[in-house]
Amino acid sequence: MNIFDQYIDKLKKILTDLSKKGTISLPDKLDGITAEIPPEKFNCDISTNVAMVISKINKKSPIELAEILVDEIKKNDKLINDISVVKPGFINIKFQPIFWTNFIQEIIKNSKTFGINTKEKKKKYLVEFVSANPTGPLHVGHCRGAILGDVIANVLLFNNHKVTKEYYVNDYGNQIINFTKSVYFRIREIKFNEPFPSYNEDLYPGAYLIDFAHNIISSKNKIDFSNFDNISDKLTALSIEEALKLIKKNLNSLGIVHDNFVSEKKLVLNQEVEKVIDFLQKNNFVYKGKIKAPAGEDTSNWVEREQLLFKSTDFGDDKDRALQKSDGAWTYFASDVAYHKNKLDRNFDHLINILGADHAGYIKRISSSVEAISKSKNKLVCKVSQLVKLIKDKKPFKMSKRKGDYITVDDLINEVGKDATRFIMLNRSSDVELDFDFDNVIEKSKDNPLYYVQYCYARIASVFRHLELNLSSEIEIKKFDFEYSSDEIKILKKISEWPKCIESASNKLEPHRIPTYLYELASLFHSYWNLGKDNSEKRFINNDKKITDDKLIFLKAISNVVKSGMDIVGVNVPEKM
RNA sequence: GCGCUUGUAGCUCAACUGGAUAGAGCGCCUGACUUCGGAUCAGGAGGUUCUGGGUUCGACUCCUAGCAGGCGCACCA
């Protein structure tokens, strides 16, 4: 039920009819026609730019064409109250109130599907997100991307697409060796009373490793901890298992559950890296060569060496990228190419990667590899989530990994809660840096948009409570013959934009549009609510402690949209606060 | 030096894929509580959308040249 799409279809039909008659000419493709709710000052319901779009090809002024169209539109639409042409050529339409009564009847009937974008075909998506190294707990830095990925998946699911949420586990490489060694030293610290080496900068100093060590010691595995080399494989597996357990717990407290965890190590052991490089070699995308030092940087330590390179410059990257290290091991990039081949083999229509800002420079090379393998440019979309600036006590809070004083997801959830974290992290476009002010996020006031939206729902719930009705149960109303006032139509207009919001959030992968929209809807509702203070006729419940059907259904429509929006964002809507 | 990205009210940010007189919140100033829960609302002040060119009927949005901030630029992952 997207009234704008419906209206555009109606306009297109009028245009083709007129062009058949020879009244107007049309371009080959009818693109760029919009229908939207205009700014409030125009005092109308829907507005279209159609006259301006066809102005050029007809060599007539938009105003002139609009006048012609207005007559036709009037003939075709009986629910119009008023229609006018406004410079520079917009056609503005005001409906009779019955239009909105019909609208609300439709969306109440189809409350389960209202908002879903029906234009698009069902597709299979893979969303890869978080993919943090399995060497410790998630910290705040991971949070934004995690929530972004999760909500993008939710939006796509809401639109009936098939979505797989995946986590790529980097359980291969030097960092994992250092991580396992660190666990080993913690075990020795416990078992043999040896101090954890402070001199070795490669080790992980975090105290959580002590827990890992305890867990491994007390597990059922019988391990002789006296010699590292004898047990390194076993210990690596156990350590990663510990880390993943913790990470999954962290994700869970954020309300995130992945469908798959794909192991880098397994890809390497299954020779998938060799296979994909072989494939690229046959297609002439791989060669032995040297990488040049970047200009303008201190290159005194630069060592030129010959290594296996991928020709990402063929796809617009600034340099070709190394696939193999000098010791013969695959680079992270090489196994990631194999991982993306693996994704492509699973026949998804679209791949989406969520990356942190610090990995933005990586996008060109990985999308180059996907293009080389799939021969398709738009298969992979990478979405970058910008930094989160933490603010505590009005001051920026810097985290230092070395010192181990970083804020973990656990800290965050304990202090702020899941809902506030999700809502605030999502409230801004992922393209801009985000200020995350602890004091503000905890505050239960209008400064906090989460509570503002929740409060709207709670107010509606309280009306239902007073009437001893259940907000979540279906309402049946036999006669839809009431008329809504202009105050109410203002809110209904906003509701009519809900499908548009979902559509753009989904097409552009910009879920921040949802909290923004919900805030605006809540704001209109709060204003409306307060009208009842000065004017008791505008209250929902009248003096006989009853509610009229139009008001009941009106509240229901608002709460439905708020609920479905908050579901996508992944936060609760309490009936009492 | 190169690449990506951001630049909109004092501050934090929106702006329906190019639309009309650019909108919210915070902060500041006025006002509304024996409330269908004030975690709310009404009103006011506040703008050369970083700068210069270009495309267009029409530009915060697209192109181009700059300026400023952020991120990145080997075999780390």
Side-chain angles (χ1 to χ4, degrees):
Chain A
M1 182 66 191
N2 184 329
I3 60 168
F4 306 100
D5 287 348
Q6 286 175 358
Y7 225 85
I8 289 172
D9 288 346
K10 189 177 270 188
L11 290 168
K12 282 183 177 168
K13 192 171 173 301
I14 291 171
L15 288 177
T16 31
D17 287 352
L18 281 178
S19 114
K20 274 179 199 157
K21 280 193 223 160
T23 321
I24 55 165
S25 10
L26 293 181
D28 298 338
K29 271 191 175 176
L30 272 178
D31 281 344
I33 298 174
T34 59
E36 61 195 15
I37 292 176
E40 213 179 314
K41 58 200 164 201
F42 293 102
N43 184 33
C44 71
D45 295 331
I46 203 166
S47 169
T48 174
N49 66 349
V50 60
M52 291 182 282
V53 173
I54 59 164
S55 144
K56 195 170 191 179
I57 194 162
N58 283 282
K59 293 183 182 132
K60 282 183 181 166
S61 80
I63 304 265
E64 218 176 319
L65 286 161
E67 301 288 358
I68 299 171
L69 291 169
V70 159
D71 287 339
E72 287 303 310
I73 294 170
K74 265 193 218 162
K75 281 185 217 160
N76 275 277
D77 193 337
K78 286 174 189 135
L79 296 184
I80 293 178
N81 204 347
D82 189 33
I83 182 164
S84 58
V85 177
V86 183
K87 65 177 180 182
F90 287 99
I91 298 173
N92 288 351
I93 299 165
K94 189 161 178 80
F95 296 117
Q96 296 165 14
I98 190 71
F99 175 90
W100 295 106
T101 311
N102 293 343
F103 168 72
I104 203 167
Q105 185 175 3
E106 276 299 309
I107 65 169
I108 287 293
K109 250 196 243 164
N110 305 301
S111 61
K112 294 257 153 49
T113 55
F114 178 58
I116 294 175
N117 181 1
T118 46
K119 275 180 286 184
E120 259 184 284
K121 276 190 194 156
K122 259 195 181 185
K123 286 185 176 158
K124 266 181 80 182
Y125 284 86
L126 177 86
V127 186
E128 183 211 329
F129 61 113
V130 189
S131 298
N133 291 340
T135 54
L138 297 181
H139 55 80
V140 202
H142 298 116
C143 247
R144 193 176 186 191
I147 293 162
L148 180 68
D150 193 47
V151 178
I152 283 176
N154 284 348
V155 174
L156 295 171
L157 284 166
F158 181 76
N159 277 331
N160 284 327
H161 296 296
K162 273 207 93 178
V163 180
T164 302
K165 293 181 271 184
E166 200 157 277
Y167 189 119
Y168 182 46
V169 184
N170 305 128
D171 50 1
Y172 172 82
N174 286 323
Q175 294 206 1
I176 289 298
I177 296 170
N178 291 328
F179 165 64
T180 309
K181 278 183 187 161
S182 309
V183 174
Y184 181 67
F185 283 120
R186 287 300 185 191
I187 290 174
R188 289 194 71 95
E189 187 181 43
I190 296 161
K191 282 198 83 98
F192 310 121
N193 238 333
E194 293 174 7
F196 187 82
S198 54
Y199 52 87
N200 190 339
E201 294 242 316
D202 292 331
L203 294 179
Y204 289 73
Y208 60 89
L209 288 185
I210 300 170
D211 297 335
F212 289 5
H214 277 293
N215 292 347
I216 290 171
I217 292 168
S218 59
S219 72
K220 286 173 192 156
N221 302 284
K222 284 184 183 156
I223 305 171
D224 174 10
F225 291 109
S226 56
N227 183 314
F228 179 76
D229 292 335
N230 292 343
I231 55 164
S232 73
D233 281 357
K234 182 82 192 156
L235 193 59
T236 303
L238 288 171
S239 304
I240 290 170
E241 197 181 305
E242 284 298 322
L244 279 178
K245 229 190 281 172
L246 185 57
I247 287 170
K248 285 178 190 174
K249 200 183 125 227
N250 291 161
L251 287 170
N252 229 289
S253 62
L254 281 169
I256 297 170
V257 179
H258 285 81
D259 301 308
N260 275 336
F261 286 75
V262 174
S263 155
E264 178 184 6
K265 193 176 180 181
K266 271 190 192 155
L267 292 175
V268 174
L269 293 178
N270 289 342
Q271 313 277 303
E272 293 198 34
V273 185
E274 278 87 350
K275 282 178 209 158
V276 75
I277 287 174
D278 196 46
F279 174 85
L280 291 172
Q281 211 140 26
K282 278 180 187 147
N283 287 276
N284 217 5
F285 291 123
V286 172
Y287 68 103
K288 284 228 166 184
K290 292 172 182 171
I291 297 176
K292 280 181 194 154
E297 281 230 330
D298 176 22
T299 54
S300 48
N301 295 326
W302 188 269
V303 186
E304 268 203 357
R305 50 193 147 221
E306 194 171 77
Q307 52 195 156
L308 202 60
L309 300 175
F310 169 66
K311 279 193 204 169
S312 51
T313 46
D314 281 9
F315 304 93
D317 202 357
D318 7 305
K319 54 179 99 172
D320 293 333
R321 303 294 175 174
L323 293 163
Q324 207 164 18
K325 302 181 201 172
S326 49
D327 66 359
W330 299 118
T331 59
Y332 171 81
F333 175 57
S335 47
D336 206 18
V337 174
Y339 174 43
H340 281 79
K341 172 76 163 71
N342 177 292
K343 289 182 183 177
L344 289 166
D345 288 345
R346 284 182 277 157
N347 288 319
F348 291 99
D349 296 302
H350 296 286
L351 306 178
I352 298 170
N353 289 3
I354 310 294
L355 302 167
D358 51 342
H359 289 82
Y362 186 78
I363 293 175
K364 200 77 213 178
R365 85 190 67 159
I366 197 65
S367 54
S368 300
S369 77
V370 170
E371 195 182 330
I373 297 166
S374 69
K375 314 241 185 315
S376 153
K377 257 189 157 48
N378 305 316
K379 204 81 188 171
L380 173 71
V381 179
C382 293
K383 201 72 198 160
V384 173
S385 78
Q386 287 299 324
L387 287 178
V388 176
K389 279 189 277 183
L390 293 172
I391 296 170
K392 256 197 141 172
D393 306 322
K394 307 280 168 215
K395 274 178 261 167
F397 183 87
K398 288 256 185 242
M399 302 199 296
S400 146
K401 225 176 187 175
R402 183 57 39 215
K403 290 185 199 156
D405 66 340
Y406 50 90
I407 300 179
T408 63
V409 165
D410 257 357
D411 300 336
L412 191 67
I413 300 297
N414 287 337
E415 195 157 343
V416 185
K418 180 199 84 170
D419 287 351
T421 304
R422 288 184 73 109
F423 201 94
I424 304 297
M425 289 271 185
L426 211 68
N427 200 22
R428 303 287 184 218
S429 156
S430 57
D431 296 333
V432 298
E433 288 188 11
L434 178 92
D435 284 355
F436 195 90
D437 186 330
F438 272 79
D439 309 314
N440 207 325
V441 173
I442 301 166
E443 199 175 338
K444 299 192 172 182
S445 75
K446 62 183 169 182
D447 295 357
N448 190 330
L450 168 69
Y451 295 109
Y452 188 83
V453 176
Q454 285 181 330
Y455 188 44
C456 159
Y457 191 84
R459 276 181 150 171
I460 293 173
S462 105
V463 173
F464 276 65
R465 211 167 34 244
H466 277 277
L467 296 163
E468 294 176 357
L469 291 170
N470 192 346
L471 181 54
S472 47
S473 58
E474 305 259 322
I475 297 173
E476 211 182 309
I477 284 170
K478 297 212 170 83
K479 278 183 89 182
F480 274 86
D481 56 356
F482 30 78
E483 281 194 3
Y484 284 103
S485 71
S486 60
D487 297 319
E488 289 153 345
I489 288 174
K490 213 195 267 182
I491 294 178
L492 292 176
K493 275 154 83 171
K494 191 77 209 173
I495 289 178
S496 74
E497 289 185 303
W498 173 235
K500 267 192 168 191
C501 170
I502 288 294
E503 186 182 335
S504 63
S506 152
N507 289 349
K508 300 177 96 171
L509 304 179
E510 290 182 352
H512 76 277
R513 288 164 185 276
I514 295 169
T516 304
Y517 171 90
L518 293 174
Y519 187 90
E520 288 163 1
L521 177 61
S523 170
L524 289 172
F525 173 77
H526 288 310
S527 295
Y528 182 82
W529 177 280
N530 279 274
L531 291 176
K533 284 183 178 168
D534 298 331
N535 183 350
S536 60
E537 281 177 19
K538 294 197 171 167
R539 294 180 160 216
F540 291 103
I541 301 174
N542 61 27
N543 292 334
D544 306 328
K545 298 271 175 205
K546 281 186 180 158
I547 191 168
T548 51
D549 281 354
D550 58 328
K551 296 252 163 52
L552 188 67
I553 220 72
F554 178 64
L555 284 174
K556 182 74 180 164
I558 298 169
S559 70
N560 280 349
V561 172
V562 171
K563 174 81 168 69
S564 85
M566 294 296 252
D567 280 350
I568 293 170
V569 176
V571 303
N572 282 314
V573 273
E575 300 204 352
K576 276 184 182 176
M577 290 173 72

